[in-house]
């Protein structure tokens, strides 16, 4: 590398990825006045929040609802970029249709409706009225928890938290499933502090929604802000290597051989892929490599993008799964058994389903009168071999959807399946996890990997690193913003002054 390249590289910062993490990190860096290049390997931006089009249907690559709308980091970022609130989050009268395991109930968006429906759901779940005061106390405890109490609860799992609170197995199983859904983790793995923090936002802000234009409208707004502040965004730019010399980032090398010099790089793939694939483990101290290898990912999902010729689901999403009726109680031990089987890659007929319905928020995503359902069934990450093969999981997902939505089969126009491998290739994360650094007690808050890495000029952002909280997309967006601030601060206070001195001498 020449001395001139050392002192005047092409860019201050190169961001790898245009998902929630990359688009927000790039936008913040550009807003701070850094010379910013954002690179995306795919032809369309958005990562897990991207889309594709087929027969007039605009299908999401992921399967999303958004907890906080403009009240959370998305609105904070667009306001900060001087864009106001360009993302229009929409809501449906019924947020979710709970169906399966004995329950069948539509949950209204408003708080009074939710309170009214709760005893009906509890009755269907065969929870004795004697337990209702206990449930109310649990809900109150969650809502009233103070920030310092939540910090302490970071260190416990949802299951441990509920064990302290109630001895009733059905309540623990039902709540545990719902809390785990936020993080694609079972209740015995998800952090209680992280769950309560998010549940507070969910209950008190009541803003669960989906944007006009599809999930991609969110990263597109951030990328628009990045461009407005001078960033360059390049699609089909696949980074093969991050070049490091003497412990300092120097350049990125694209798969087409192009070399782009830079002061810093923000990587938004997983920490493991950044360390072992993009940089090379030899550039890091051994304990850091161990840490990167030991990061626990969340579980993930097989997906189906379903096009239907008429409205077959009324609520904003369908949540539950099969069996629709239980011949035994939904207890903690049943859940352990069923989820334990899924975790080992064994298909068991117990299929937890999460299925947002994007067209119930924005009908223009499909031809007039048609409906899009984006359904997922929980599945293990790619490092776990599926005992029954991938097709059995896809078939299981569709069989469950047909059972849950009786009108689906005869009104369906087509469906596309996305295996975990398809997802992994699209998002460029080798194990295909939904959240690459999952929110377990040892991986939340300050225990998440920091943005800064032992390689000078190399940072990580998105759902893999940083100390932010939140559900998937919001976690990644907040992480991106925090990382953009850190990179800017480091460049202004350390790197640029030193280089200016070097240039002057
Ligand atoms: C099935 C599913 C359902 C989910 N449901 C929800 C939900 O309902 N609500 C919610 O908030 N969250 C949900 N999540 C989680 C959420 O999607 C993610 O946590 C979040 O979008 C991650 O953002 P990110 O920027 O970290 O990564 P990604 O969105 O994965 O972006 C990474 C980007 O980097 C690019 N990239 C990777 N490697 C390279 C390279 N070498 N060169 C160039 N570009 C590269 C990729 O192409 C991609 O665009 C879900 C996730 C999945 C998979």
């Amino acid at each position: 590398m020449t001395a001139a390249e050392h002192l005047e590289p092409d860019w201050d910062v190169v961001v790898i990825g245009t998902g929630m993490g990359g688009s927000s990190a790039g936008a913040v860096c550009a807003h701070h006045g850094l010379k910013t290049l954002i690179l995306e390997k795919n032809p369309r931006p958005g990562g897990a929040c991207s889309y594709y089009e087929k027969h007039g249907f605009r299908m999401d690559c992921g399967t999303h609802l958004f907890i906080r709308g403009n009240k959370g980091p998305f609105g904070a970022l667009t306001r900060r970029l001087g864009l106001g609130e360009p993302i229009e989050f929409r809501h449906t009268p019924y947020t979710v249709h709970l169906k399966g395991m004995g329950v069948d109930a539509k949950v209204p968006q408003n708080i009074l409706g939710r309170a009214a429906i709760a005893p009906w759901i509890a009755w269907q779940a065969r929870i004795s009225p004697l337990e209702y005061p206990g449930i109310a106390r649990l809900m109150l405890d969650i809502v009233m928890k103070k920030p310092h109490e939540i910090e302490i609860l970071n260190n416990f799992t949802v299951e441990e938290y509920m064990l302290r609170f109630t001895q009733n197995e059905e309540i623990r199983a039902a709540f545990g499933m719902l809390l785990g859904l936020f993080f694609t983790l079972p209740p015995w793995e998800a952090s209680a502090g992280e769950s309560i923090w998010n549940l507070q936002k969910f209950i008190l802000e009541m803003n669960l929604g989906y944007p006009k234009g599809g999930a991609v409208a969110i990263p597109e707004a951030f990328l628009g802000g990045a461009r407005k502040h001078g960033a360059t965004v390049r699609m089909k730019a696949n980074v093969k290597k991050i070049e490091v010399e003497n412990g300092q980032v120097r350049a990125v090398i694209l798969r087409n051989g192009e070399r782009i010099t830079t002061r810093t790089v923000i990587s938004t793939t997983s920490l493991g892929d950044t360390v072992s694939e993009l940089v090379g483990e030899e550039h890091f101290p051994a304990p850091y490599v161990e840490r990167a290898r030991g990061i626990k990912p969340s579980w993930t999902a097989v997906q189906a993008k379903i096009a239907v010729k008429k409205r077959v689901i009324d609520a904003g999403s369908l949540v539950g799964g099969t069996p629709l009726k239980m011949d035994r109680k939904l207890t903690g031990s049943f859940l352990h058994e069923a989820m334990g089987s899924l975790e080992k890659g064994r298909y068991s007929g117990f299929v937890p389903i999460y299925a947002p319905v994007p067209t119930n928020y924005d009908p223009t995503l499909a031809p007039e009168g048609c409906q899009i359902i984006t359904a997922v069934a929980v599945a293990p990450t790619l490092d776990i071999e599926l005992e029954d093969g991938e097709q059995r999981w896809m078939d299981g997902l569709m069989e469950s959807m047909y059972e849950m939505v009786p009108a689906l089969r005869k009104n369906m126009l087509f469906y596309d399946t996305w295996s975990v491998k398809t997802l992994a290739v699209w998002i460029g994360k080798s194990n295909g996890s939904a959240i690459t650094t999952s929110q377990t007690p040892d991986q939340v808050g300050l225990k998440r990997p920091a943005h800064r890495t032992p390689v000078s000029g190399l940072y990580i952002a998105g759902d893999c690193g940083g100390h932010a909280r939140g559900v998937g997309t919001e976690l990644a967006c907040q992480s991106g913003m925090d990382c953009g601030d850190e990179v800017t601060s480091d460049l202004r206070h350390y790197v640029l002054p030193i280089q200016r001195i070097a240039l002057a001498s």
Side-chain angles (χ1 to χ4, degrees), residues 105 113 141 144 173 222 233 253 261 271 278 440:
D141 193 68
M144 301 299 285
F222 302 160
V233 183
I253 317 289
T261 59
L271 176 57
L278 291 179
T440 53

Side-chain angles (χ1 to χ4, degrees), residues 271 288 291 295 437 446-451 460 464-467:
L271 176 57
Y288 194 80
R291 172 101 210 267
I295 289 289
T437 299
L446 290 172
K447 293 182 187 161
R448 288 181 82 68
H451 296 299
I460 54 160
C464 63
H467 305 309

Side-chain angles (χ1 to χ4, degrees), residues 52-55 57 59 302-307 373-375 394 397-398 412 414-419:
Y52 65 96
E53 286 187 351
K54 186 168 170 181
H55 307 315
F57 289 79
M59 301 290 196
V302 292
Q303 305 183 69
K305 325 285 177 193
I306 308 171
I373 306 167
T374 52
M394 300 296 190
L397 165 60
M398 289 310 293
M412 196 167 65
F414 66 88
Y415 72 87
D416 293 331
T417 51
W418 274 52
S419 66

Side-chain angles (χ1 to χ4, degrees), residues 65 90-99 104-109 208 210 308 310-319 355-363 369-374 401 404-408 411:
L65 286 180
R90 294 182 170 178
H91 310 283
T92 50
Y94 289 93
T95 320
V96 51
H97 186 160
L98 290 175
K99 190 160 184 180
D104 188 352
K106 287 185 204 166
V107 181
Q109 173 86 5
L208 182 79
Y210 183 87
V308 196
K310 66 173 216 188
R311 196 178 167 106
V312 292
I313 299 175
D314 285 332
S317 63
L318 180 73
V319 173
V357 188
T359 40
N360 284 1
Y361 297 89
D362 181 356
C370 295
Q371 192 165 56
I372 294 173
I373 306 167
T374 52
M401 286 302 293
M404 291 169 82
V405 188
L408 178 60
N411 290 295

Side-chain angles (χ1 to χ4, degrees), residues 11 53 58 71-72 80 174 245 270 310 376 403 417:
W11 301 92
E53 286 187 351
R58 183 181 257 232
K71 292 183 185 172
R80 184 174 169 183
E245 192 188 280
S270 68
K310 66 173 216 188
V376 300
E403 264 194 75
T417 51

